[in-house]
Amino acid sequence: MRVKLCTLLLLVTRLGVVLSSSDDAPRFLREPPQNAVFTNTTGITIDCLGEGTPSPRVSWTKQDGRPLEEISGLVRVLNNGSLEFSPFPGVRYNPRLHEATYT
């Protein structure tokens, strides 16, 4: 079984933050791909890595703006900000999770 395309859109904002002379604006070290395709037997880790001062914090939201909810054994956000879709049995396929747009 192939899981359909997971389209990822990345939005990074830094609203209301005044940079001091010691601040280094956030920048991407590794941006996520615009599209990610994976099967239920392989899973995928989608990297979103950045650096800056202060250290940027990565969070993932659904297309409607709600925060991504981690689901044990299916999807989680790693400590480094990467999004991980674990391999899973076909019966756990969920189109609202696996055919989604994430920001």
Side-chain angles (χ1 to χ4, degrees):
M1 162 195 261
R2 281 192 69 83
V3 175
K4 290 191 179 178
L5 204 55
C6 295
T7 303
L8 301 172
L9 304 172
L10 186 61
L11 174 65
V12 177
T13 59
R14 204 168 169 176
L15 301 174
V17 176
V18 177
L19 296 177
S20 73
S21 60
S22 64
D23 285 345
D24 182 20
R27 69 180 185 92
F28 288 107
L29 296 175
R30 187 171 305 146
E31 291 184 59
Q34 193 170 39
N35 297 302
V37 179
F38 60 100
T39 66
N40 66 305
T41 59
T42 63
I44 192 170
T45 298
I46 301 164
D47 291 326
C48 182
L49 307 173
E51 70 177 1
T53 304
S55 295
R57 184 176 57 103
V58 175
S59 61
W60 292 89
T61 61
K62 295 180 181 181
Q63 188 172 10
D64 62 8
R66 290 183 297 146
L68 173 74
E69 295 177 22
E70 295 187 7
I71 300 173
S72 179
L74 291 179
V75 64
R76 69 183 178 136
V77 178
L78 303 178
N79 290 335
N80 67 3
S82 295
L83 183 59
E84 179 183 73
F85 289 90
S86 302
F88 60 93
V91 297
R92 291 200 69 195
Y93 173 73
N94 181 341
R96 289 185 293 175
L97 173 70
H98 295 111
E99 291 181 39
T101 299
Y102 297 95
T103 302

